[in-house]
């Protein structure tokens, strides 16, 4: 659908491959960030604990640096925001 909408290739790849990272994506960094965000959002929906670092693609930790290493510190603050966004988009 992203390609049909003529979204930029790098964004279409991030959408298409965020569940199964393809290292040949047009913008691997963007793809890894989207994959990490998806993992965080999906974890927030079912668990109060931050996602295990093993759930992220190994390259994501390289791209995102200490952001993922420090997830236990900032994750609790994101849960309310994620829950609110889910209500807005899914309950409308």
């Amino acid at each position: 659908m992203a390609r049909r909408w003529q979204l930029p290739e790098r964004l279409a790849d991030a959408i298409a491959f965020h569940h199964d990272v393809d290292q040949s994506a047009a913008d691997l960094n963007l793809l890894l960030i989207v994959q990490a965000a998806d993992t965080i959002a999906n974890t927030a929906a079912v668990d109060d604990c931050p996602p295990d670092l093993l759930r992220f693609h190994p390259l994501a930790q390289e791209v995102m640096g200490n952001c993922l290493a420090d997830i236990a510190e900032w994750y609790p603050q994101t849960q309310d925001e994620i829950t609110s966004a889910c209500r807005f988009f899914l309950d409308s």
Side-chain angles (χ1 to χ4, degrees):
M1 182 175 290
R3 295 193 199 294
R4 188 173 358 153
W5 289 351
Q6 299 179 353
L7 296 177
E9 181 182 9
R10 57 194 289 265
L11 183 55
D13 281 358
I15 293 167
F17 302 123
H18 73 276
H19 286 214
D20 188 19
V21 172
D22 180 346
Q23 293 188 34
S24 68
D27 186 337
L28 183 58
N29 288 353
L30 177 62
L31 171 55
L32 293 167
I33 291 168
V34 170
Q35 186 268 341
D38 183 63
T39 299
I40 292 165
N42 287 332
T43 300
V46 297
D47 198 350
D48 289 336
C49 299
D52 186 321
L53 290 177
L54 296 175
R55 296 192 60 205
F56 297 100
H57 192 278
L59 291 175
Q61 292 185 48
E62 291 180 33
V63 169
M64 298 181 72
N66 291 334
C67 292
L68 292 179
D70 297 342
I71 195 168
E73 295 175 22
W74 55 262
Y75 180 80
Q77 299 167 348
T78 66
Q79 287 182 295
D80 288 340
E81 293 179 41
I82 292 169
T83 300
S84 176
C86 286
R87 277 194 214 117
F88 177 80
F89 287 107
L90 301 176
D91 293 344
S92 297

